[in-house]
Amino acid sequence: MKPTSILGKYLIKQILLNFLAVLLMVLSVILLFEIVEILRRTSDRQDADIWFVLQMAITKMPKTIEMVFPFVMMIAAMATFWKVSKTNEFVIMRAAGVSIWEFLTPVLAATFVIGMINVTLVNPVAADLYDLYETLEYRFKTKNPKAVLFSDQGLWIREAIDENNIMVLQAKSLRQEKDGLLMRNVTILEMDRKSQPSRRLEAFVATLQDGYFKLKDVRIYRSGMQTEVKNSVDYKTTLDAERIKENFVAPESISFWDLPDTIRFYEMSGFSAVRHNLRYMSLLVSPFLLCAMVLVAAVFALRPNSRRGGVMFLIVGGITTGFVVYFLSQLVYAFGINGDIPVFMAVVTPTLVIGLIAVSALLHLEDG
C-alpha cells in the first residue's frame, strides 16, 4: 500500500493524531513532576524564585522526553492499531486483500519521518535547552546567578598542533570574562606522538581570545637551553570557549549537526570520543528504533480476532516489552561506553534484535 493512497493517508493521519495526543499527555505529566521535584530541591533557597524553577523544569524536559520518546511512539501505535482492530477496520482491510505488511507500510513511513524530524530539527533545539539546564544547575549549585559552566577544579585539555606534535594545557582555574576565558597558573607542554617533551611554557595568567592563548608573565623551558622570560606570548590554537566548554557538558547538550566536528576534534587531539560517537550513532539509528517499536506495538495491538486476549493483555504486554527494551538498551550501551564492544554494535544491536523479534512474531501471526 502506498502512503499516498487514500487508505495510506487515513492511517498516517491516525498515527500522527495519536502520537501528538500521547506526546502532549506525557509532556504534561513530566513537566508536573519536574516542577514538583525542583520545588522540593529549592524549598530552602531564597534565591530561587518561581521563574527559575520553571526555567529549570522546561529546559530539562527535552532530556527526559528523549528517554521515553520510543515508548511514546509505541503507545501511539498501540492506540492506533487497537482502534482499527476494535472497529473491525483491520478485518475489512484484510478481507479486501491488504496484507499486514501493506497495512504497516504507511505507518512505518510516517514513523520514520517523525524520527528524522526529531533528529534533524528537534534535537538541536533540545540540545540548546539541555545546555541551558546544565548552566542553570551549575548556577544553583554555586549560588552564583551569573556563573557559566566551567570547572573550579581547573582544566586539562590536549590539542593536536600538527601530525607529529601535540599540546597539553593545564590551568589551575578558569572563568569566563566578557568574550573570552581567563585562566590562571597555566602550563603548556609540547610533545611528540611518542610523548617526548620538546618545550614547556608556564604563565601566571592567560586569556583565550580570537584563536590565541594570550599568555602573561611567561617562562619558556627547553631541554639543554636557558630559560626564557617574556612579558607576553600569543600562542595560536584552534580551541575556543565552546570547545573547552564541551569538556564539562554531556554529549546530550551538543547538537546532532555539531557532533561530527566534536568527534573529529577529540580524535585528532587524542581524547576518547566514545561517548560522543555513541551519542551520534544513537541519533542516526533512532528513526529505525521508532519503527521497531511500531512493529512491537503491532504484535500486541493488531489482532483481527478480538477474542484472543484483551485490553489487559495489550497494556501489560506493551509495558513489559517497553521496560525490557529500555533495560537491554542501557545494558548494551554501557558495554559500548566501557569499550567492551564496538560502538556500532552497541547502538545497532538493540534495534536490530527488537525489529527481528517483532518481524518474526508478525510473520507467525500473518501465517496464522
Side-chain angles (χ1 to χ4, degrees):
M1 181 193 304
K2 295 183 179 180
T4 55
S5 65
I6 296 176
L7 190 55
K9 292 179 180 179
Y10 171 76
L11 293 174
I12 290 174
K13 178 182 177 181
Q14 292 299 315
I15 189 68
L16 290 179
L17 290 177
N18 286 318
F19 169 75
L20 292 176
V22 174
L23 182 62
L24 289 175
M25 181 178 63
V26 172
L27 282 173
S28 302
V29 173
I30 290 176
L31 181 60
L32 177 62
F33 277 95
E34 292 291 356
I35 291 176
V36 171
E37 172 62 18
I38 296 173
L39 283 173
R40 183 191 63 80
R41 292 175 52 195
T42 59
S43 59
D44 58 344
R45 292 281 296 271
Q46 300 296 326
D47 56 333
D49 55 12
I50 187 62
W51 172 241
F52 183 82
V53 171
L54 288 175
Q55 277 185 304
M56 290 194 68
I58 293 174
T59 53
K60 189 181 179 182
M61 279 180 60
K63 169 65 175 176
T64 310
I65 285 294
E66 183 177 337
M67 295 174 59
V68 301
F69 197 79
F71 308 119
V72 171
M73 194 71 245
M74 186 180 72
I75 294 172
M78 291 174 71
T80 302
F81 297 151
W82 179 73
K83 178 184 176 182
V84 297
S85 297
K86 182 181 178 181
T87 57
N88 292 325
E89 293 175 342
F90 182 60
V91 175
I92 297 172
M93 295 177 196
R94 295 301 302 273
V98 177
S99 69
I100 193 171
W101 307 112
E102 291 176 314
F103 174 86
L104 288 173
T105 297
V107 178
L108 291 174
T111 301
F112 190 82
V113 171
I114 291 174
M116 292 298 296
I117 292 174
N118 177 58
V119 170
T120 57
L121 299 180
V122 178
N123 173 262
V125 178
D128 290 340
L129 288 175
Y130 189 68
D131 185 22
L132 178 58
Y133 167 77
E134 288 195 320
T135 302
L136 293 173
E137 180 75 11
Y138 186 65
R139 290 174 180 177
F140 178 75
K141 291 179 179 179
T142 59
K143 299 183 180 180
N144 181 1
K146 297 182 179 181
V148 293
L149 191 58
F150 290 102
S151 173
D152 291 331
Q153 305 300 321
L155 170 70
W156 281 92
I157 196 165
R158 183 163 59 175
E159 178 186 6
I161 300 175
D162 51 43
E163 294 182 356
N164 300 316
N165 297 281
I166 59 174
M167 174 272 289
V168 178
L169 180 144
Q170 180 203 13
K172 296 295 184 182
S173 64
L174 72 159
R175 67 174 187 269
Q176 189 170 20
E177 285 197 351
K178 297 181 180 179
D179 296 330
L181 290 179
L182 175 65
M183 294 168 280
R184 296 187 181 278
N185 299 324
V186 179
T187 300
I188 297 177
L189 181 62
E190 296 178 354
M191 62 182 73
D192 58 24
R193 291 292 178 175
K194 297 181 179 180
S195 299
Q196 297 298 317
S198 57
R199 186 173 68 152
R200 187 174 86 246
L201 295 83
E202 295 182 355
F204 174 70
V205 67
T207 57
L208 176 59
Q209 291 180 335
D210 302 325
Y212 287 91
F213 288 115
K214 298 184 180 295
L215 310 175
K216 304 293 183 183
D217 297 331
V218 186
R219 292 179 177 270
I220 304 175
Y221 301 91
R222 290 186 178 90
S223 178
M225 300 181 62
Q226 186 176 0
T227 302
E228 296 183 49
V229 179
K230 295 186 177 182
N231 292 329
S232 63
V233 172
D234 289 346
Y235 193 93
K236 187 173 179 58
T237 179
T238 59
L239 297 170
D240 54 23
E242 289 300 320
R243 187 71 72 190
I244 292 177
K245 185 177 180 179
E246 289 169 1
N247 285 271
F248 306 103
V249 298
E252 290 78 10
S253 61
I254 303 175
S255 168
F256 168 78
W257 302 107
D258 295 333
L259 275 170
D261 289 338
T262 303
I263 293 169
R264 193 177 304 112
F265 169 79
Y266 278 123
E267 290 176 343
M268 287 181 59
S269 300
F271 285 107
S272 173
V274 173
R275 293 176 63 226
H276 297 80
N277 263 315
L278 191 64
R279 170 66 176 170
Y280 185 62
M281 292 296 298
S282 298
L283 290 173
L284 288 177
V285 174
S286 60
F288 298 96
L289 177 60
L290 295 182
C291 292
M293 299 303 283
V294 169
L295 293 176
V296 171
V299 173
F300 290 99
L302 205 57
R303 313 185 72 83
N305 190 349
S306 60
R307 291 177 294 178
R308 295 176 56 190
V311 178
M312 187 57 64
F313 173 80
L314 174 68
I315 296 174
V316 174
I319 292 176
T320 303
T321 304
F323 276 111
V324 171
V325 168
Y326 179 77
F327 174 76
L328 292 179
S329 298
Q330 295 303 309
L331 181 64
V332 176
Y333 286 173
F335 285 128
I337 292 176
N338 293 332
D340 297 324
I341 59 176
V343 171
F344 180 78
M345 288 186 61
V347 174
V348 173
T349 300
T351 301
L352 187 61
V353 171
I354 296 165
L356 290 177
I357 292 176
V359 168
S360 299
L362 288 173
L363 285 172
H364 174 74
L365 292 175
E366 176 77 357
D367 292 339

